[in-house]
């Protein structure tokens, strides 16, 4: 089976712009979670989607949003980018009967 | 408030010896624990997990021990190999109504295995 894929791998944006990141889960996995990794805060949970519904959300401002499509692919969007949004954004997928999460390679976002 | 703590930022061991990575948690609602290995600029790779109904789980060279009363878990790697050199993250989740899939991570421990 192919693993979790994320596009793009690298992205450079300017403060105030918005960005959309994409994630394709492992085939058959319906749960997709997003995490942010920064040197200061470590790995932090953003949100989780299952069957196109957000089931759980972390403590991030409303500028961070996501969605999931009927094929389980997911996107996350960050609006009005700030310098502090520079991070590695990771997507993970899980199957219905397991709590193990499998991560993609991440998207490295740099905000200048 | 850090709910999952890995108090050792780094650990160095000799090839062939045992590596022991430790993790403590404070949230008594956590009932599922996972260990991940991560290289720079890559996503975490799942290694092994354990449910709170067990106190030990083994997979090849990796064994995870859970002490619920102490809210402590550890990952043992035997024997350690140079390719094991990476950052290891401990993560936990709670079986809370909406979703089991919110992972809370520790800050990680950098393991270096010397040849």
């Amino acid at each position: 089976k192919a693993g979790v894929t994320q596009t793009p791998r690298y992205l450079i944006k300017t403060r105030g712009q918005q960005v959309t990141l994409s994630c394709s889960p492992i085939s058959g996995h319906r749960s997709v979670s997003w995490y942010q990794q920064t040197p200061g805060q470590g790995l932090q949970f953003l949100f989780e989607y299952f069957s196109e519904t957000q089931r759980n959300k972390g403590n991030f401002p409303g500028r961070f949003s996501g969605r999931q499509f009927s094929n389980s692919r997911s996107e996350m969007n960050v609006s009005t980018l700030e310098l502090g949004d520079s991070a590695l954004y990771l997507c993970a997928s899980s199957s219905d009967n397991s709590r193990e999460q499998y991560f993609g390679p991440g998207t490295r976002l740099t905000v200048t | 408030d850090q709910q999952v703590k890995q108090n050792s930022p780094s650990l160095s061991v000799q090839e062939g010896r045992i590596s022991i990575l430790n993790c403590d948690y404070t949230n008594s609602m956590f009932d599922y624990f996972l260990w991940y290995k991560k290289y720079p600029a890559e996503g975490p790779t799942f290694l092994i997990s354990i449910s709170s109904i067990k106190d030990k789980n083994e997979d090849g060279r990796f064994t995870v021990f859970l002490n619920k009363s102490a809210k402590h878990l550890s990952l043992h790697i035997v024997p350690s190999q140079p390719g094991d050199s990476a950052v290891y993250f401990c993560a936990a989740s709670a079986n809370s109504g909406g979703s089991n899939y919110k992972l809370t991570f520790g800050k990680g421990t950098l393991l270096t295995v010397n040849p």
Side-chain angles (χ1 to χ4, degrees):
Chain A
K1 266 187 184 177
V4 177
T5 59
Q6 292 186 244
T7 56
R9 291 293 311 278
Y10 303 92
L11 207 46
I12 300 175
K13 289 285 188 179
T14 304
R15 246 183 330 176
Q17 288 185 315
Q18 74 166 17
V19 67
T20 299
L21 312 181
S22 181
C23 171
S24 292
I26 292 171
S27 176
H29 287 190
R30 294 194 291 171
S31 169
V32 174
S33 301
W34 288 88
Y35 294 83
Q36 181 197 63
Q37 185 184 27
T38 59
Q41 298 299 318
L43 276 152
Q44 293 188 292
F45 173 80
L46 280 156
F47 28 65
E48 185 244 347
Y49 287 87
F50 180 85
S51 289
E52 303 179 66
T53 300
Q54 186 182 91
R55 291 200 297 193
N56 211 335
K57 189 177 190 308
N59 296 324
F60 280 82
R63 300 185 297 107
F64 291 82
S65 63
R67 60 177 176 168
Q68 186 180 35
F69 303 95
S70 58
N71 62 358
S72 296
R73 192 176 69 84
S74 177
E75 289 181 347
M76 67 163 282
N77 183 277
V78 188
S79 62
T80 319
L81 284 165
E82 301 177 359
L83 295 178
D85 297 332
S86 294
L88 181 66
Y89 289 89
L90 293 157
C91 167
S93 74
S94 304
S95 63
D96 292 7
N97 57 1
S98 171
R99 291 172 70 174
E100 295 162 5
Q101 293 187 32
Y102 295 89
F103 283 82
T107 295
R108 168 68 65 184
L109 172 65
T110 302
V111 182
T112 61
Chain B
D1 174 33
Q2 211 178 333
Q3 299 184 60
V4 176
K5 297 178 186 178
Q6 294 177 256
N7 292 319
S8 299
S10 63
L11 174 68
S12 182
V13 300
Q14 286 299 120
E15 181 179 5
R17 307 293 286 268
I18 184 172
S19 295
I20 300 176
L21 298 114
N22 294 303
C23 178
D24 297 295
Y25 62 96
T26 58
N27 188 340
S28 57
M29 299 300 292
F30 287 148
D31 68 338
Y32 197 79
F33 304 89
L34 309 92
W35 284 94
Y36 287 88
K37 170 182 175 181
K38 188 178 185 303
Y39 297 112
E42 292 185 12
T45 299
F46 170 75
L47 286 173
I48 192 168
S49 62
I50 187 167
S51 163
S52 61
I53 62 173
K54 294 184 174 182
D55 53 19
K56 177 182 175 182
N57 189 27
E58 276 183 272
D59 185 1
R61 296 186 299 115
F62 302 94
T63 302
V64 56
F65 296 91
L66 176 62
N67 182 333
K68 287 186 293 293
S69 60
K71 293 191 175 67
H72 177 83
L73 63 156
S74 60
L75 174 68
H76 293 208
I77 306 174
V78 185
S80 300
Q81 300 172 353
D84 295 331
S85 298
V87 177
Y88 287 76
F89 288 95
C90 169
S93 69
N95 188 1
S96 62
S99 166
N100 299 327
Y101 296 118
K102 175 182 177 180
L103 291 180
T104 300
F105 282 87
K107 296 289 190 187
T109 296
L110 173 63
L111 172 66
T112 302
V113 180
N114 302 302

